[in-house]
Amino acid sequence: MRRFSVIRIRSLEHLFDLAEKGMTNPYFLAGGTDLLIKIKDDLLIPPFTVLDISGLQELRSIHFEQDYVRIGSLVTHGEIEKHPELRLLFPSLTDACHGVGSPQIRNRATIGGNIGNASPAADSIPPLYVYGAELHLVNSKGERWVKIEDFFTGPGKTIRNPVEIIKEIRIPAEKRDYGTYLRLGQRKALAISKISLALAGKKKNGSMEDVKIALGAVGPTVIMAVETSLYLRGKELSSEVIKEAGNIIEKEAEPITDLRSSKEYRKKMCSTLLVKALTNWKQVA
Amino acid sequence: MSDLINLNFTVNGEKKHIKLDPSMTLLEILRNILKLTGTKEGCGKGECGSCTVLLNGKAVNACLVIASQLEEAEIITIEGLGKGEEIHPIQKAFIEEGAVQCGFCIPGMIMSAKALLDENPHPSEEEIKWGISGNLCRCTGYSKIVSAIEKAAKER
């Protein structure tokens, strides 16, 4: 592989000092499973500087607090998928992380990297939408909290400044009755999602009370299926309701045709995945 | 480019202190510097798993890790599995089951199997398939590889 300039970041203070001095085209290296491939494919135009943040231990932990679960941005997909408490609270997220890449990729790829990379097909992002996650962004000037749905502006594009770091992801520690993540890809492993659906919902007296649905790979960013959620509110999980919800989401989604799938296929599959998710919920309820 | 860095890490139980370019991949370090050529380069992009090694006990693609990430790391390659002349039980099971054809994918396949069995000593067939889902084999059709891993698990 070509040689490139790498700085091993020792602490956030070290990063902020460097940022103050100014750098040409800085890129963060966390797990490296996307960035190193981009470098190999000559997709980053030199000169650029790779800031290796993978040694920052403070970004590697998961904390359970009264109101929030806080996940450090360097926590890997493998750590999330295998975490028993996360599985109980956020099954859509642990399911999504379970299907990313391969065991080798999941052992390196970080959740912060998946978010920062901002692919509309990123698997960890739709679950973070349905669970109402917020991102803690930090740079030498200060810090800010951003709702996940306000972070992305397009494929590969976010509101993050070049040397602003995603420090952690916090998710309201709220137990739902059901959560799932369904994806379609060319094959089970090492395939980018053609379409994905995250769903998390609560029930009250037998009716759906609060159902959140997010769709991946059907637009420039992940989107929430707001109309479909509204339709489901207060309804029982009957076969008729499930079918109608499938029709609504098909109208609501506005995917594009690209090299992985056609627009028509994606629309149909939004419906298929939702029907499958709701049917599974009905069966476990 | 970057200045060389002094790196301390362990490969197959042996401590190494080397001066390296921080952007060099673990795969390049293993094959070109340490001459451990059992680890293979296939795609170089994390798709094929030929370069799978254990990094701090976990299976990783050596092509997607760079030197700057290796401080104090413990690496096990295919060369580190056996004890002297004695091969590892997983290697033995692969031979006995006829799980090797051209052999190029096998070091990576065996390292993934090792990582799987270390974490889950008695995996189901599905779990074995998922455990080696990051390793491509273009000869065998996988069924003998899965049998070999089942056999190795039974004989542990």
Side-chain angles (χ1 to χ4, degrees):
Chain A
M1 190 167 70
R2 65 150 77 233
R3 301 275 79 90
F4 51 89
S5 150
V6 185
I7 303 173
R8 194 156 44 174
I9 302 298
R10 295 182 302 271
S11 65
L12 286 177
E13 293 68 39
H14 179 210
L15 173 69
F16 298 156
D17 282 350
L18 290 171
E20 288 290 317
K21 285 178 198 143
M23 266 175 291
T24 32
N25 295 327
Y27 288 94
F28 288 125
L29 176 78
T33 54
D34 278 310
L35 188 71
L36 294 175
I37 294 169
K38 280 185 189 151
I39 294 172
K40 285 184 192 201
D41 285 345
D42 288 327
L43 295 178
L44 303 193
I45 298 148
F48 58 84
T49 305
V50 169
L51 305 175
D52 174 9
I53 56 167
S54 64
L56 296 179
Q57 291 306 317
E58 60 195 292
L59 307 186
R60 292 209 160 271
S61 50
I62 301 174
H63 296 282
F64 289 80
E65 293 173 353
Q66 183 83 32
D67 299 328
Y68 290 101
V69 176
R70 293 165 41 215
I71 303 175
S73 57
L74 292 183
V75 172
T76 65
H77 290 76
E79 287 159 350
I80 292 174
E81 67 161 319
K82 289 171 193 157
H83 200 292
E85 285 96 0
L86 286 182
R87 178 155 292 278
L88 278 178
L89 268 177
F90 310 124
S92 179
L93 179 64
T94 51
D95 280 2
C97 289
H98 180 66
V100 169
S102 64
Q104 293 95 316
I105 297 290
R106 293 193 289 278
N107 283 335
R108 297 297 292 171
T110 66
I111 186 157
N114 205 223
I115 297 168
N117 209 40
S119 162
D123 287 300
S124 74
I125 298 173
L128 294 173
Y129 270 64
V130 300
Y131 291 125
E134 294 166 289
L135 308 177
H136 192 197
L137 304 180
V138 184
N139 68 10
S140 58
K141 308 264 188 302
E143 53 173 344
R144 54 178 171 159
W145 284 95
V146 177
K147 286 185 182 151
I148 186 104
E149 62 262 39
D150 297 333
F151 183 66
F152 305 100
T153 53
K157 294 199 168 65
T158 73
I159 61 165
R160 190 179 67 79
N161 300 318
V163 280
E164 196 172 31
I165 195 167
I166 303 172
K167 195 176 169 201
E168 67 177 26
I169 297 99
R170 88 177 171 192
I171 313 176
E174 192 185 330
K175 179 96 174 78
R176 276 84 168 173
D177 297 302
Y178 189 68
T180 191
Y181 181 75
L182 301 173
R183 69 196 287 270
L184 293 170
Q186 198 69 23
R187 59 192 181 103
K188 282 187 188 165
L190 285 163
I192 294 172
S193 294
K194 289 161 176 281
I195 169 163
S196 63
L197 178 142
L199 180 146
K202 282 193 284 192
K203 275 189 169 183
K204 198 176 177 184
N205 307 325
S207 301
M208 287 174 276
E209 194 196 6
D210 184 18
V211 184
K212 296 271 194 319
I213 303 159
L215 296 166
V218 297
T221 67
V222 167
I223 56 160
M224 295 286 271
V226 179
E227 280 174 48
T228 313
S229 293
L230 274 176
Y231 167 75
L232 290 171
R233 180 178 278 270
K235 297 213 172 49
E236 277 179 41
L237 261 174
S238 68
S239 310
E240 295 72 39
V241 167
I242 291 175
K243 198 173 159 217
E244 182 54 19
N247 293 335
I248 296 172
I249 205 165
E250 197 174 322
K251 289 198 199 89
E252 189 174 6
E254 284 177 8
I256 57 157
T257 295
D258 67 9
L259 77 166
R260 275 185 284 278
S261 292
S262 69
K263 174 174 95 179
E264 293 77 15
Y265 173 80
R266 283 194 162 113
K267 261 183 162 320
K268 269 267 172 281
M269 290 306 110
C270 286
S271 168
T272 303
L273 290 186
L274 180 65
V275 168
K276 193 172 172 191
L278 291 172
T279 307
N280 291 346
W281 187 5
K282 191 181 167 199
Q283 277 161 2
V284 298
Chain B
M1 294 298 100
S2 304
D3 296 335
L4 300 186
I5 53 169
N6 280 307
L7 203 62
N8 299 295
F9 61 110
T10 307
V11 179
N12 299 331
E14 241 177 77
K15 285 202 159 41
K16 307 277 179 194
H17 313 279
I18 327 178
K19 245 186 170 32
L20 284 170
D21 184 296
S23 71
M24 187 174 262
T25 67
L26 173 56
L27 182 59
E28 291 169 317
I29 299 169
L30 292 172
R31 290 185 58 88
N32 304 344
I33 312 264
L34 301 176
K35 307 296 178 196
L36 293 169
T37 53
T39 306
K40 306 301 181 197
E41 175 162 24
C43 67
K45 292 178 187 176
E47 301 266 352
C48 75
S50 303
C51 65
T52 304
V53 298
L54 302 189
L55 172 58
N56 301 327
K58 294 203 162 107
V60 304
N61 297 306
C63 69
L64 293 185
V65 178
I66 58 169
S68 83
Q69 301 177 296
L70 288 174
E71 186 59 25
E72 302 297 335
E74 282 189 27
I75 294 142
I76 310 277
T77 70
I78 190 74
E79 289 90 346
L81 278 199
K83 285 182 194 141
E85 289 297 294
E86 199 183 322
I87 59 172
H88 188 275
I90 302 174
Q91 292 171 304
K92 196 163 158 267
F94 268 65
I95 294 169
E96 286 169 1
E97 287 295 308
V100 181
Q101 287 189 30
C102 91
F104 193 84
C105 72
I106 298 300
M109 201 62 89
I110 288 177
M111 296 315 289
S112 281
K114 167 91 168 83
L116 171 71
L117 296 182
D118 285 350
E119 196 178 291
N120 179 2
H122 301 289
S124 65
E125 190 185 328
E126 254 333 283
E127 287 169 335
I128 291 174
K129 287 180 179 169
W130 196 242
I132 58 166
S133 61
N135 295 77
L136 291 180
C137 170
R138 299 291 81 180
C139 308
T140 66
Y142 303 99
S143 63
K144 290 187 173 181
I145 291 175
V146 173
S147 311
I149 299 171
E150 277 173 341
K151 187 183 174 94
K154 266 190 210 123
E155 289 172 5
R156 266 163 91 98

